[in-house]
Amino acid sequence: LIREKPGSNFHFFSPDILTTWKNTFNMEFSLRKALKGNQFELHYQPQKDIKSGNIVGCEALLRWKHPDKGYIPPDRFIPLAEKNGMMIELGEWVLREACRQNKKWHSTGTYRGLIGVNLSARQLHQPELAEKIKNILEETGLSAEYLELEITESAAISQNNEVLNSLKQLRELGVHVSIDDFGTGYSSLKYLSIFPISKLKIDKLFMKQEVQNNQAIVKSIITMSHSMEMKVIAEGVETEEQLVFLEKENCDEVQGYYFYKPLPLQEASELFLQAQ
Ligand code: C2E
Ligand code: MG
Ligand code: MG
Ligand code: MG
């Protein structure tokens, strides 16, 4: 943003900034319309148990199916929804939809695993989070043990005890909590001994074996998880070499393009049926 003359009301934007501003403005408007117009959908990425090869979980990933622009990835609209406060509403839609779908799979015998749902920082800091999730579980009929909430280290940081209290209540209900993108957030290890965490998700960044120390980091995370009685899953597994390494190091579960991409509902349901 450049002001040509001091005191002048004319602001000159570079074309880039202008485009960004317009898109952001339009996007906020479209986001509200999209939620009303059922333009959001969930895709599901299966997670495998390394030893048995069984699909034991899947992660629900939000997609915006824009009528003109096609699928818009979450990284393009979630930060905005988080800023304008819409992420609470959108996140509740995700939770309800994921629980409803998993209950349906369980009832029809299509799938018996858990469903992972990502929580944003704002959602996590709602004082009534546990109550809301309890209601969603009751409403959809899904048992708490089949829901896993994915939180990031950065989102969990808090000066007060609100987040800790919510997580404790959720754990008492039987809901699982995992740390997403583990190893990339600005945080300390202290919360691992305080928060009731059932699983660490090693960030895909550390799968790059050619980067020095990545293998040592992965090994350490696996050892630490197990000695703290947590499970550990590797995200972003794309090659056989990565799988072989993770197997050797006793990683519990894997998720990544090497096995499956996030699948639309129909494809996920078909895969689950076949995989039984
Ligand atoms: P995440 O929770 O860490 O999800 C994993 C991301 O990695 C997904 O991207 C997934 O498609 C991608 N991925 C999976 N396997 C591979 C692989 O082998 N290689 C590579 N390069 N990528 C892989 P996606 O779906 O674009 O989601 C991006 C992020 O958006 C998610 O990261 C999560 O932080 C956020 N997100 C997605 N859905 C939701 C949601 O419903 N609520 C919230 N708050 N955040 C969400
Ligand atoms: Mg996640
Ligand atoms: Mg992740
Ligand atoms: Mg991520």
Side-chain angles (χ1 to χ4, degrees), residues 45-47 59 201 233-237 253-257 259:
Q45 188 176 34
Q47 302 168 328
E59 177 172 3
K201 301 193 74 179
I233 180 168
E235 291 193 277
V237 180
E253 295 169 13
V254 278
Q255 174 182 350
Y257 296 165
F259 307 96

Side-chain angles (χ1 to χ4, degrees), residues 120-184:
S120 74
R122 279 226 199 195
Q123 282 179 283
L124 191 60
H125 284 85
Q126 293 175 97
E128 65 279 18
L129 178 70
E131 189 61 31
K132 277 190 175 171
I133 290 178
K134 187 170 177 256
N135 290 339
I136 289 174
L137 289 169
E138 276 168 12
E139 195 186 301
T140 58
L142 183 73
S143 311
E145 65 194 294
Y146 296 118
L147 174 63
E148 180 175 273
L149 302 172
E150 300 192 2
I151 65 175
T152 60
E153 295 162 283
S154 319
I157 299 175
S158 167
Q159 297 304 318
N160 54 44
N161 282 327
E162 243 160 43
V163 173
L164 179 60
N165 286 339
S166 292
L167 293 181
K168 279 183 174 163
Q169 287 173 52
L170 285 162
R171 191 62 210 121
E172 271 162 32
L173 287 177
V175 174
H176 297 282
V177 178
S178 66
I179 302 288
D180 203 357
D181 305 342
F182 185 76
T184 61

Side-chain angles (χ1 to χ4, degrees), residues 1-13:
L1 175 109
I2 302 154
R3 186 171 287 191
E4 199 182 35
K5 280 185 212 151
S8 137
N9 283 323
F10 292 97
H11 293 198
F12 295 88
F13 298 91

